[in-house]
Amino acid sequence: MVFDQLVNLLDSQGARYRVIAHAAEGKSDEVARIRGTEPGQGAKAMLCKTKDGAHWVLAILPGDQRLDFRLLAAALGWPKLSLASPDEATRETGCVIGAIPPFSFSPSITLVADPALLSRYAEIAFNAGRLDRSMVLDSADYQRIAQPQLHAICSV
């Protein structure tokens, strides 16, 4: 289970985080209110793929921003990218859309984060592999542990 993997990883790395149990909620603004965080602190995780399915990338951006697929593809030197289907996302990450954390536990999924997420707030928040559990994690610990590639990938 992804939630357990996250807890084990963060504990083993001495991360500063907290878990928040809440009702499963699909709206970002409502989840932010429940967490006591700003919408922009939310680490939105979007699984994308190349048309041929040869490359997968988990794009992480502030919850109040939009992904620019062209910037993401250019940053990686890949052809055009599209959003993975809900079935593909579940198969590749082990999580339903909305519960995907900003970590890649698969060697076939490249992890890319927009630096704005990490520079705007001291902590990031995200659903932790389940729709009814969130984590609030120190931003520096996230960068140290997840080691995402950092690229500006948000729409201007």
Side-chain angles (χ1 to χ4, degrees), residues 29-90:
D29 290 344
E30 184 59 23
V31 172
R33 187 191 65 73
I34 292 167
R35 291 176 185 148
T37 59
E38 300 282 328
Q41 278 180 274
K44 186 185 325 185
M46 300 177 69
L47 185 65
C48 305
K49 63 177 185 167
T50 53
K51 187 174 184 174
D52 62 3
H55 300 288
W56 295 88
V57 59
L58 188 59
I60 312 300
L61 57 151
D64 60 356
Q65 299 292 309
R66 295 178 60 107
L67 177 62
D68 185 319
F69 289 91
R70 287 173 291 162
L71 286 176
L72 180 58
L76 296 169
W78 293 354
K80 184 178 177 181
L81 292 166
S82 63
L83 199 57
S85 72
D87 288 341
E88 290 170 328
T90 300

Side-chain angles (χ1 to χ4, degrees), residues 78-135:
W78 293 354
K80 184 178 177 181
L81 292 166
S82 63
L83 199 57
S85 72
D87 288 341
E88 290 170 328
T90 300
R91 183 185 72 233
E92 296 298 322
T93 67
C95 302
V96 297
I97 289 180
I100 301 170
F103 289 83
S104 175
F105 291 107
S106 169
S108 64
I109 299 175
T110 300
L111 184 63
V112 174
D114 191 293
L117 175 67
L118 305 173
S119 65
R120 285 172 57 191
Y121 298 99
E123 295 179 317
I124 62 169
F126 52 90
N127 279 357
R130 350 176 355 172
L131 293 173
D132 64 349
R133 294 290 183 277
S134 290
M135 286 185 175

Side-chain angles (χ1 to χ4, degrees), residues 10 14-18 103 118 121-126 135-145:
L10 297 177
R16 294 161 288 182
Y17 75 97
R18 63 188 178 279
F103 289 83
L118 305 173
Y121 298 99
E123 295 179 317
I124 62 169
F126 52 90
M135 286 185 175
V136 179
L137 172 64
D138 180 85
S139 296
D141 284 345
Y142 169 72
Q143 189 170 351
R144 173 178 60 85
I145 296 166

